[in-house]
Amino acid sequence: MSTSEKFQSVFVAMAALGGLGLGLLLPVGGAAGHLVLPALMLMLAAVFVQVDAGQVREARSARSAVAAGLVLNFVFTPLLAGALGAGLLGDSPDLRIGLLLLLVTPCTDWYLVFTGLARGHMGMAAAVLPVNLVLQLLLLPVYVLLLGGDAAMVDTGTLVEAVLLVLVVPLVLAVAARWAARRWRGAAWRDGVMAPRASRAVLPLLYAAVLAMFAWQARTVASHLGDLAGLVPPLVLFFVVAPSAALLASRLLRLPPDQRVTLVMTTAARNSPIALAIAVAAFPDRPLVAVALVAGPLLELPVLALLSQLVRVRPRADAPGT
């Protein structure tokens, strides 16, 4: 795990504070606003370049866990997100939509890091990634329109267009890059050189997007700090309930320890970069929606680090090297 990954939440916070300082001290808001979406789309393309759809075959040995993960991520979690938003953010429609976008998008990147740290089933973790991507693409507009209610206030066409722009364009670019790399340089170069380079580009692009986002909306953030504090209770509840539900499901299904770990991590981790990109594209005139999605990882990443230690598979005393 690189230094950047270890201190990801710290660097996200530093990027946010740096953006706030720039936006409050200098007239850079307009220029910064034009950088957010391109940075996020490049970041997602770098994420997608690392995904091999062939990894789905690895899930054959963990079918029960994969099925449980799909139910938890695409049935249980959206219902929980809708209930938390309606119950705790009913008078803050923009924060409610931001929370919904954050919670209904399962993570497609950093959960792999924390799953590895906790010694989870990495084949299963990698296999569910492309499945989660496709289902997000198909279901996100449905979730926002059905669960967002009056708070959504966006037409179906606009939302679908935003999803297509933010997810499909980077995905197509990534697929094309993987195909070209394999054809001209070989699969070994693609997986051993291109994918690692793409991986190293993800976090700098995320930090650049966060810095630009806060520079763009610095005055909005400064005037709504009290509102953003309202996100803490629903996020805390989610990060207690979701992992608990995954642990309960793993016990009912009698999953092996490594599959249990992966189920917990993929249920708890959220895809704030994708959700942020969707928010910027679909709700350009409602900055609090996007700001809520930047605030989410500041709580999520420390929680995932703690979870990776709590559910970590302990090596057997008689195992080699213990």
Side-chain angles (χ1 to χ4, degrees):
M1 192 178 193
S2 69
T3 301
S4 183
E5 288 168 338
K6 287 180 182 178
F7 298 101
Q8 185 172 17
S9 58
V10 175
F11 292 147
V12 168
M14 290 173 61
L17 291 174
L20 282 174
L22 284 174
L24 292 173
L25 296 174
L26 300 172
V28 297
H34 293 298
L35 297 176
V36 178
L37 191 56
L40 288 168
M41 292 178 69
L42 285 173
M43 185 207 69
L44 293 176
V47 170
F48 296 159
V49 160
Q50 303 167 61
V51 178
D52 181 1
Q55 292 168 329
V56 174
R57 290 191 296 270
E58 295 287 337
R60 291 177 180 173
S61 64
R63 290 176 181 171
S64 295
V66 170
L70 293 177
V71 171
L72 286 168
N73 273 320
F74 295 104
V75 179
F76 175 78
T77 294
L79 293 175
L80 175 61
L84 290 173
L88 298 175
L89 296 172
D91 57 346
S92 302
D94 288 2
L95 293 183
R96 181 179 168 189
I97 290 299
L99 179 77
L100 182 64
L101 284 171
L102 175 65
L103 298 187
V104 301
T105 48
C107 185
T108 58
D109 40 53
W110 56 55
Y111 83 95
L112 292 171
V113 174
F114 293 104
T115 300
L117 287 174
R119 298 181 179 177
H121 189 300
M122 292 305 294
M124 171 189 163
V128 299
L129 195 156
V131 177
N132 283 345
L133 281 175
V134 172
L135 288 178
Q136 284 180 55
L137 175 64
L138 296 175
L139 295 177
L140 189 56
V142 177
Y143 291 145
V144 173
L145 294 171
L146 288 183
L147 299 175
D150 293 337
M153 292 185 290
V154 63
D155 65 86
T156 306
T158 300
L159 187 58
V160 171
E161 183 180 322
V163 173
L164 291 175
L165 172 66
V166 169
L167 290 183
V168 174
V169 172
L171 184 58
V172 169
L173 290 174
V175 170
R178 286 182 62 85
W179 176 85
R182 185 173 184 224
R183 179 174 178 94
W184 300 112
R185 301 298 295 271
W189 185 89
R190 180 196 64 193
D191 299 332
V193 178
M194 185 178 75
R197 287 177 180 173
S199 177
R200 289 192 293 270
V202 170
L203 291 180
L205 286 167
L206 175 61
Y207 303 146
V210 170
L211 187 145
M213 176 75 218
F214 274 87
W216 177 30
Q217 299 296 342
R219 287 171 174 77
T220 300
V221 173
S223 61
H224 289 87
L225 287 177
D227 294 327
L228 288 175
L231 280 172
V232 175
L235 285 175
V236 168
L237 282 172
F238 173 81
F239 288 122
V240 171
V241 174
S244 299
L247 283 172
L248 177 60
S250 67
R251 288 173 183 166
L252 292 174
L253 295 171
R254 298 181 180 178
L255 298 179
D258 59 342
Q259 294 182 23
R260 180 198 70 217
V261 165
T262 303
L263 183 61
V264 170
M265 300 313 295
T266 191
T267 302
R270 299 294 93 191
N271 207 357
S272 54
I274 281 185
L276 176 58
I278 297 292
V280 171
F283 303 95
D285 299 323
R286 298 168 65 183
L288 266 186
V289 175
V291 169
L293 291 163
V294 175
L298 301 181
L299 178 61
E300 176 191 3
L301 291 168
V303 167
L304 293 180
L306 176 61
L307 268 178
S308 69
Q309 295 303 309
L310 292 177
V311 302
R312 187 169 182 260
V313 177
R314 308 297 173 185
R316 291 168 47 188
D318 58 348
T322 61

